[in-house]
């Protein structure tokens, strides 16, 4: 059953009824991330809770209802020369799901793209929200400006909670001026460890890199465009005013020359390549494979990948200066193997994004006992009847 309340009040009534009968529901936006949601049961959708409530470009703040399509929000801010600096990810192409990603889903999953390591995650741009707790009560937390810290911790908790703590109905978030132009330095590279060193060296330079990724040989043909060679490469993005970007790109070219052959992609090519990386498009070809999203220390991620490749064939590319590994395997991985190799690499976080059947992604990355206890206490306070996306 799909429940799609037409208003916040109607949503409250539905939640109160579910709480009274102790009948769980799975909260969704447009259900574009269904393949990574481990919970079954009836669905409570925000698809009717749509619309931009308030947008003042001069204040660079927008308020929108949770079911508003991300594409509509990005179009609205783009008209005013602004953008969502955390670059939210749309996994529709990878998962093969229909519909359009929603801003509520973005915040509920803390969806953040290539610029996260410089601009922060989605939760860092979230100023306030309205949500319905497990008792069917409307709670407003945060405000329209960062200096209004009243209730700010609740938005941080809800961001990334995947609907387990409440039904988000409205969000208020920052937007920023869109960069005038962008340019990407393409450094030819065929070795994961060498790429990690090159990215580390680039990020130590005062050249304001806003994207750092490594695409190995076997995936280069799915990312490189135009006259760029279809070979493994480190991608280093610089954005801003045209004159500044041109100057920084030239300085980066000189600095990176000792690491290998260097080419520079123009604005249009840069946008296309980074959107491909942002939405993990290289892994949208074969939807029968397994796709993993793994966060690790940047300088040891390649060792984790090497260990996994000793067990199974894996295609990978790296984002966030190498600390985010997107991995595709033709077969599943043993949960203990993943945990062991993550620990050896210095700790991290693994999520199974796509599988051949519905699997509990958390089983590959269970929380520590203290964190689990804390999560259970927060869950009990906001959803005492455990009706929202129960996974504990």
């Amino acid at each position: 059953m799909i429940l799609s309340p037409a208003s916040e009040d109607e949503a409250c009534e539905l939640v109160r009824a579910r709480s009274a009968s102790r009948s769980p529901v799975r909260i969704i936006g447009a259900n574009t991330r269904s393949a990574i949601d481990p919970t079954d049961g009836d669905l409570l959708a925000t698809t009717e809770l749509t619309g931009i409530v308030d947008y003042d470009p001069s204040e660079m703040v927008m308020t929108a209802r949770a079911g508003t399509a991300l594409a509509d929000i990005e179009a609205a801010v783009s008209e005013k020369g602004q953008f969502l600096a955390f670059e939210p990810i749309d996994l529709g192409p990878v998962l093969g799901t229909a519909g359009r990603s929603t801003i509520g889903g973005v915040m509920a999953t803390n969806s953040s793209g290539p610029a996260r390591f410089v601009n922060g995650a989605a939760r860092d741009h979230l100023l306030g929200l309205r949500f319905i707790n497990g008792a069917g009560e409307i709670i407003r937390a945060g405000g329209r400006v960062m200096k209004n810290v009243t209730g700010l911790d609740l938005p941080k908790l809800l961001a990334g909670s995947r609907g387990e703590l409440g039904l988000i109905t409205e969000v208020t978030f920052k937007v920023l001026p869109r960069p005038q132009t962008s340019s990407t330095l393409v450094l030819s590279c065929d070795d994961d460890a060498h790429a990690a060193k090159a990215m580390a060296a680039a990020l130590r330079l005062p050249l304001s890199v806003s994207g750092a990724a490594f695409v190995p040989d076997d995936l280069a043909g799915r990312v490189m465009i135009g006259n760029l060679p279809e070979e493994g490469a480190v991608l280093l993005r610089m954005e801003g005013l045209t004159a500044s970007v041109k100057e920084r790109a030239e300085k980066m070219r000189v600095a990176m020359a000792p690491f290998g052959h260097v080419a520079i992609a123009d604005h249009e090519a840069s946008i296309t390549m980074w959107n491909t990386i942002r939405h993990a498009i290289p892994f949208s070809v074969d939807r029968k494979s397994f796709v993993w999203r793994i966060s690790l220390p940047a300088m040891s991620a390649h060792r984790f990948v090497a260990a996994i490749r000793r067990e199974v064939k894996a295609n990978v590319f790296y984002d966030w200066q190498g600390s985010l590994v997107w991995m595709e395997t033709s077969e599943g991985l043993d949960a203990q193997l993943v945990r062991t190799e993550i620990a050896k690499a210095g700790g991290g976080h693994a999520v199974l994004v796509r599988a051949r059947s519905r699997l509990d992604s958390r089983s590959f990355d269970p929380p520590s006992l203290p964190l689990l206890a804390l999560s259970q206490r927060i869950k009990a306070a906001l959803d005492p009847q455990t009706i929202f996306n129960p996974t504990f």
Side-chain angles (χ1 to χ4, degrees):
M1 181 186 300
I2 300 180
L3 307 170
S4 301
S7 67
E8 194 176 57
D9 288 340
E10 185 177 331
C12 287
E13 294 176 5
L14 285 171
V15 171
R16 283 194 289 267
R18 288 281 171 160
S19 180
S21 62
R22 297 191 176 186
S23 304
V25 290
R26 177 161 65 91
I27 297 173
I28 61 171
N31 211 24
T32 59
R33 302 167 190 271
S34 59
I36 58 174
D37 192 319
T39 314
D40 294 313
D42 293 340
L43 308 179
L44 177 55
T46 62
T47 46
E48 298 299 318
L49 304 177
T50 62
I52 295 173
V53 177
D54 184 56
Y55 174 38
D56 187 340
S58 65
E59 292 186 358
M60 296 188 290
V61 174
M62 175 181 281
T63 298
R65 296 186 182 92
T68 308
L70 174 62
D72 292 343
I73 287 174
E74 291 189 313
V77 299
S78 180
E79 287 183 2
K80 301 299 182 180
Q82 298 176 340
F83 80 129
L84 303 181
F86 55 92
E87 297 184 310
I89 302 170
D90 181 1
L91 289 175
V94 171
L95 300 180
T97 50
R100 300 195 298 168
S101 181
T102 65
I103 189 62
V106 164
M107 293 302 178
T109 57
N110 194 32
S111 175
S112 314
R116 174 172 178 165
F117 74 98
V118 288
N119 292 338
R123 63 161 53 93
D124 299 309
H125 296 253
L126 183 62
L127 300 176
L129 51 72
R130 290 169 64 94
F131 73 98
I132 299 171
N133 66 10
E137 302 166 330
I138 298 173
I139 296 177
R140 178 181 178 183
R144 285 181 53 82
V145 293
M146 286 303 293
K147 64 183 179 182
N148 178 6
V149 297
T150 304
L152 193 60
D153 286 344
L154 275 179
K156 301 299 185 186
L157 280 175
L158 269 290
S161 66
R162 310 189 66 81
E164 294 173 8
L165 301 180
L167 171 64
I168 297 173
T169 59
E170 184 180 287
V171 292
T172 298
F173 50 92
K174 297 183 293 182
V175 298
L176 292 177
R178 186 176 63 242
Q180 188 178 86
T181 191
S182 67
S183 181
T184 295
L185 183 140
V186 181
L187 171 68
S188 295
C189 180
D190 61 0
D191 179 76
D192 296 33
H194 186 68
K197 293 177 182 178
M199 286 187 284
L203 269 292
R204 285 196 293 267
L205 299 173
L207 297 177
S208 300
V209 174
S210 65
F214 171 53
V215 182
D217 284 342
D218 51 1
L219 294 178
R222 303 181 188 181
V223 177
M224 305 304 171
I225 63 172
N227 296 323
L228 296 173
E230 291 189 1
E231 60 187 22
V234 168
L235 306 180
L236 301 169
R237 180 178 62 182
M238 283 148 283
E239 299 175 297
L241 298 175
T242 301
S244 172
V245 169
K246 183 178 180 180
E247 179 181 354
R248 284 184 283 131
E250 178 58 23
K251 289 181 178 179
M252 184 66 77
R253 184 189 68 78
V254 173
M256 289 293 104
F259 288 91
H261 177 265
V262 175
I264 295 180
D266 62 16
H267 177 67
E268 294 302 324
S270 180
I271 290 175
T272 300
M273 289 192 298
W274 284 101
N275 277 335
T276 300
I277 291 170
R278 171 184 174 183
H279 303 305
I281 300 300
F283 296 153
S284 64
V285 178
D286 177 14
R287 297 201 181 106
K288 294 181 180 180
S289 63
F290 295 80
V291 174
W292 298 77
R293 189 170 184 265
I294 307 161
S295 299
L296 295 159
M299 295 306 295
S300 61
H302 65 278
R303 290 195 289 271
F304 169 86
V305 171
I308 296 299
R309 281 175 165 165
R310 286 194 287 269
E311 302 296 328
V312 299
K313 184 180 184 301
N315 296 320
V316 305
F317 67 92
Y318 301 77
D319 199 358
W320 298 356
Q321 194 200 332
S323 63
L324 177 64
V325 177
W326 285 96
M327 174 180 289
E328 180 185 48
T329 63
S330 59
E331 55 187 280
L333 296 177
D334 177 70
Q336 190 55 50
L337 171 66
V338 175
R339 295 179 193 136
T340 298
E341 295 304 331
I342 284 178
K344 288 181 181 179
H349 178 78
V351 174
L352 179 59
V353 173
R354 185 178 69 198
R356 292 173 187 159
S357 61
R358 186 178 294 278
L359 294 174
D360 185 354
S361 61
R362 295 174 187 276
S363 67
F364 295 92
D365 190 31
S368 63
L369 291 179
L371 182 59
L372 177 61
L374 177 60
S375 299
Q376 290 174 330
R377 289 198 296 271
I378 295 171
K379 176 76 169 174
L382 293 176
D383 181 21
Q385 302 300 333
T386 318
I387 64 167
F388 295 135
N389 297 12
T391 58
F392 296 118

